[in-house]
Amino acid sequence: MPADLPPNPEIVVVRAARLPPRLSDAAFSVIQLTPKDLATAPRLDTALEQVPGVSLFRRTSSLAANPTTQGVSTRAIAGSGASRALVTLDGVPQNDPFGGWVIWTSLPPENLAGVNVVRGAGAGPYGSGALTGVISLDEAQPAPGAWSGDVEGGDGGQARAAGIAALAAPGGEVVFSAAGEHSDGWVPVEDHPGAADTRLTLTDANASLRYLADLGPGALAARIAAFEEDRGAGLRGAQSRARGAQASLTYAQAPSAGHWGWRAQAWGDLSNLYNSSVSVAAGRVSTTLSNVQYDTPADGYGANIALRRLLDHGELELGGDLRGASGEDREHFKAVAGVLTMDRHAGGETLMGGVYAEASEHLGPWLLVGAARVDDWSSSDGHRIEHKISTGAVTLNLHPPGKDQALPSFRLAVRRDLPADGFIRLAAYSGFRAPTLNELYRPFRVGNDVTESNPALVPEKLYGIEGGVGQDGAVLKWSATGFYNRLEKAVANVTIAHGPFLSPLDGFIVAGGTLFQRENIPAIDAHGVEFDSSLRVSANLTTRTAFAWTEARVDGGSSAPQLTGLRPAETPRLTASLGATWRPLDRLGLTGDVRYESLRFDDDQNTRRLNPGTNVDARADWRLNGHASLFLAMDNLFDAKIATGHTASTATVPGATSYDEPRRFRVGLTLRGGPGA
């Protein structure tokens, strides 16, 4: 929940190279987070937990999560490290071109003017990836001369700093931002840890530079950004390093009466990942290096265009987009006497493009929306080549055939305004998510568990219907949504066998280990209810309540009958949160948040239980003057044991449970200056 901080610098939207919000948004489930909602969260993915149903693949936040598990979903249908939601920054996709995950440390909340979370499949302007919805980030555009900075530290070796500044430049302005942090972390295994267990550590940094200017009748934005993060994975010898850069160019002109508005955008990004994995000996007395993903070069590129026309009582939007990705996993694997003996190169290319049309019309209190879209997705140049490091002899040379598939989608909605700022709405939609290069071509290991790739994967498809009712009052805002979604051809990690045994492709799977493979299972059926409310009790007290209840079950069909009736992995039935912001004194703001999550399972067979957990965060802000404030925050105030992972048990090797962050405190200083400070 947001705290009453010293007044933010006025967010002046100057030369914004984006189209105004769509009229159609009002007919769908859209939740907005303001800068105040983001201000008290230590990281963006944590702030998004205010929206019921939104979560990363695993329970851990980006403070501790491996990059490959930082996929996000906006509805608790079935978690995925590859993301079942599309994340955009001013229209530019932020999902990794190789794996689909999101590097959340590259998106500091201080740089954002707001977030729109669109739940439900995103046909129309969004296309691939917007399976459960879209998280649309708007970058802040402070006035020239405005600046702000935050610095904080805490126990556990925590330190973080972030800043943003705008300067006048010829024809426009330049906005520079940078952030960095370090955490000594914690040991995730608390029950009988051994010499194998180490801390989950993090060091990261990011920076961006934007040039914003008026150009003719529209606005131009040019942006470059880069990030890096280094992580210790909590096991001796296991670590990761992620690097990336992105550049984008956008030109936009808002529509006006009798004139088309439009936006044209092009972007490209580069990413790379180093990731080492280990197997754990019985009793957790030691680890053995099992593979080193020493190089994962990938690049993504894309362009989109949108044309928008204002109608007498509505609007029309036509558009299209193109997205491509190529990448290769390069790693050493198969340990013999502690030495990795094999080398693997695996990767390929994907390309997708689509066109769409969306129209909306106001008829008195009614809003009608209809959209149709068609995409073409293809994969090519798939390969997996393995050779012995000592001799260079090739032991595996696979070149799976490429795929090509046309994918139509749609969305329809109707909304009716009611008295006293109320509304009721109904929507139906479809969408798809294409498999990532990581899912198609790269096998991977986590501890003693191995997951095989599958070049035969096809895109997931989602069909859904939902209805909602709510009120947008000045004192009370609330919305309730009931939905039914069917996810067909869902990509899941399906259990093949438990160790110990010898796999022809993956070598020896030890006792306590499990071999999985990515497969398209027939379907996942989910229905549920989502609720969100905000109540301004008084001028100094605001409360917020949210929950999401989802009943999701797998239909394994004939290909995976053992999964039929089970819950998808990493999918809780209930998440609920309660927050309050209170300003008892003019200078003092107090914030409290409680978040509960019910039982979830860490595997497809529902044998690895992750018990329910409740987390409480608290924060106090003291305004020193109009330009500075201090804060004290307590994360996980009651030191709750929130389980985040569980390994398989055998007769001789007990399973191990990993836990999220213990109680931590942070102390920080916020400074602001320039126009609006």
Side-chain angles (χ1 to χ4, degrees):
M1 292 298 299
D4 289 312
L5 300 172
N8 282 308
E10 182 181 359
I11 302 298
V12 181
V13 183
V14 290
R15 310 176 187 90
R18 64 174 75 105
L19 291 172
R22 294 179 180 86
L23 178 63
S24 60
D25 286 349
F28 295 95
S29 177
V30 181
I31 293 182
Q32 297 178 332
L33 299 180
T34 68
K36 282 189 175 182
D37 296 322
L38 303 174
T40 58
R43 46 201 9 91
L44 177 57
D45 55 292
T46 303
L48 289 170
E49 291 180 350
Q50 297 178 67
V51 180
V54 174
S55 67
L56 298 192
F57 175 43
R58 300 191 187 277
R59 276 179 174 170
T60 45
S61 73
S62 59
L63 179 63
N66 184 279
T68 62
T69 65
Q70 293 189 40
V72 65
S73 295
T74 61
R75 184 164 277 165
I77 296 173
S80 171
S83 289
R84 287 195 165 102
L86 179 66
V87 180
T88 65
L89 179 64
D90 286 337
V92 177
Q94 300 299 299
N95 302 73
D96 184 83
F98 188 80
W101 47 74
V102 179
I103 303 297
W104 296 100
T105 57
S106 71
L107 299 167
E110 294 89 347
N111 292 2
L112 300 178
V115 178
N116 289 323
V117 179
V118 184
R119 293 182 300 198
Y126 301 116
S128 178
L131 197 71
T132 63
V134 180
I135 299 174
S136 176
L137 312 176
D138 292 336
E139 203 156 16
Q141 297 185 189
W147 60 270
S148 65
D150 298 273
V151 61
E152 65 178 69
D155 62 344
Q158 298 179 86
R160 184 177 185 274
I164 183 171
L167 301 172
E173 68 173 299
V174 171
V175 180
F176 174 75
S177 67
E181 68 178 321
H182 174 79
S183 170
D184 288 340
W186 65 96
V187 177
V189 174
E190 297 185 6
D191 302 324
H192 310 295
D197 298 294
T198 60
R199 289 176 172 269
L200 292 165
T201 61
L202 170 65
T203 301
D204 68 79
N206 65 84
S208 69
L209 182 68
R210 287 177 288 152
Y211 174 69
L212 313 167
D214 288 327
L215 184 63
L220 174 73
R223 182 181 188 271
I224 57 173
F227 71 85
E228 63 178 25
E229 67 168 35
D230 297 340
R231 294 180 180 271
L235 291 170
R236 193 168 304 280
Q239 56 188 330
S240 67
R241 295 194 296 268
R243 305 286 187 270
Q246 187 176 77
S248 62
L249 185 66
T250 306
Y251 184 80
Q253 177 183 339
S256 58
H259 298 279
W260 285 87
W262 59 284
R263 183 199 68 201
Q265 189 171 63
W267 53 270
D269 55 23
L270 303 172
S271 72
N272 206 326
L273 176 68
Y274 170 97
N275 198 40
S276 61
S277 299
V278 298
S279 59
V280 182
R284 310 189 70 82
V285 297
S286 64
T287 62
T288 301
L289 192 64
S290 55
N291 71 291
V292 175
Q293 186 180 355
Y294 59 86
D295 196 22
T296 317
D299 61 81
Y301 58 90
N304 59 66
I305 187 167
L307 307 174
R308 192 180 299 177
R309 179 87 173 187
L310 300 180
L311 307 176
D312 289 342
H313 303 287
E315 61 185 23
L316 172 68
E317 181 168 312
L318 308 174
D321 64 83
L322 179 73
R323 281 185 258 170
S326 64
E328 184 178 69
D329 163 50
R330 301 166 185 171
E331 63 184 286
H332 294 155
F333 65 105
K334 195 173 184 181
V336 177
V339 177
L340 300 179
T341 62
M342 299 292 294
D343 182 83
R344 175 192 297 126
H345 286 204
E349 299 181 7
T350 59
L351 181 66
M352 67 190 80
V355 294
Y356 69 90
E358 180 169 274
S360 56
E361 181 75 10
H362 259 307
L363 298 175
W366 295 90
L367 173 62
L368 307 178
V369 180
R373 180 182 176 103
V374 61
D375 288 87
D376 184 83
W377 169 79
S378 64
S379 63
S380 60
D381 193 31
H383 59 276
R384 178 173 172 179
I385 303 169
E386 298 178 358
H387 68 266
K388 294 182 178 180
I389 296 174
S390 60
T391 65
V394 175
T395 59
L396 185 67
N397 192 350
L398 298 179
H399 294 269
K403 292 182 176 293
D404 192 296
Q405 186 173 350
L407 297 154
S409 55
F410 72 93
R411 67 176 187 174
L412 303 170
V414 59
R415 168 177 163 143
R416 192 185 194 286
D417 292 332
L418 302 175
D421 301 312
F423 66 87
I424 188 170
R425 63 177 190 84
L426 182 67
Y429 42 77
S430 68
F432 75 98
R433 183 189 73 86
T436 65
L437 295 170
N438 185 64
E439 292 171 316
L440 289 167
Y441 304 118
R442 179 190 170 251
F444 71 92
R445 175 185 286 269
V446 177
N448 294 337
D449 296 335
V450 175
T451 301
E452 258 297 334
S453 58
N454 187 349
L457 293 174
V458 298
E460 304 173 320
K461 298 179 181 178
L462 185 142
Y463 303 90
I465 186 170
E466 63 184 53
V469 62
Q471 183 181 16
D472 288 326
V475 175
L476 174 64
K477 294 184 178 181
W478 66 273
S479 65
T481 299
F483 68 89
Y484 170 75
N485 286 174
R486 181 174 175 85
L487 177 58
E488 298 185 349
K489 302 295 183 182
V491 177
N493 296 338
V494 177
T495 299
I496 304 300
H498 299 289
F501 72 96
L502 182 65
S503 165
L505 284 179
D506 304 288
F508 188 68
I509 308 299
V510 302
T514 303
L515 176 63
F516 301 91
Q517 184 172 35
R518 300 184 183 100
E519 293 184 9
N520 287 112
I521 60 176
I524 295 173
D525 290 297
H527 61 273
V529 177
E530 297 158 340
F531 177 82
D532 182 87
S533 72
S534 176
L535 173 64
R536 191 170 184 84
V537 180
S538 68
N540 297 323
L541 177 61
T542 302
T543 65
R544 183 167 184 169
T545 305
F547 74 84
W549 176 84
T550 305
E551 184 61 40
R553 295 291 172 179
V554 175
D555 176 2
S558 59
S559 60
Q562 74 278 12
L563 301 182
T564 297
L566 299 181
R567 291 187 62 80
E570 304 295 345
T571 306
R573 180 178 281 110
L574 174 66
T575 59
S577 63
L578 174 65
T581 299
W582 180 39
R583 191 174 69 184
L585 302 173
D586 182 60
R587 291 178 178 269
L588 177 63
L590 302 176
T591 303
D593 288 283
V594 181
R595 188 174 191 272
Y596 168 82
E597 183 182 283
S598 65
L599 170 78
R600 66 162 74 184
F601 294 99
D602 202 24
D603 68 325
D604 62 316
Q605 296 186 333
N606 292 186
T607 59
R608 306 185 188 183
R609 296 169 56 94
L610 300 180
N611 290 327
T614 301
N615 183 73
V616 179
D617 297 329
R619 173 167 164 151
D621 291 86
W622 181 262
R623 188 177 63 193
L624 299 174
N625 53 47
H627 301 279
S629 65
L630 293 171
F631 76 82
L632 170 65
M634 295 294 295
D635 303 322
N636 193 4
L637 178 62
F638 297 109
D639 203 24
K641 307 301 182 186
I642 310 295
T644 60
H646 188 77
T647 60
S649 300
T650 70
T652 58
V653 181
T657 300
S658 300
Y659 294 94
D660 202 6
E661 182 184 21
R663 178 171 52 229
R664 300 289 190 190
F665 76 85
R666 296 176 289 119
V667 178
L669 172 67
T670 298
L671 299 172
R672 299 186 176 98

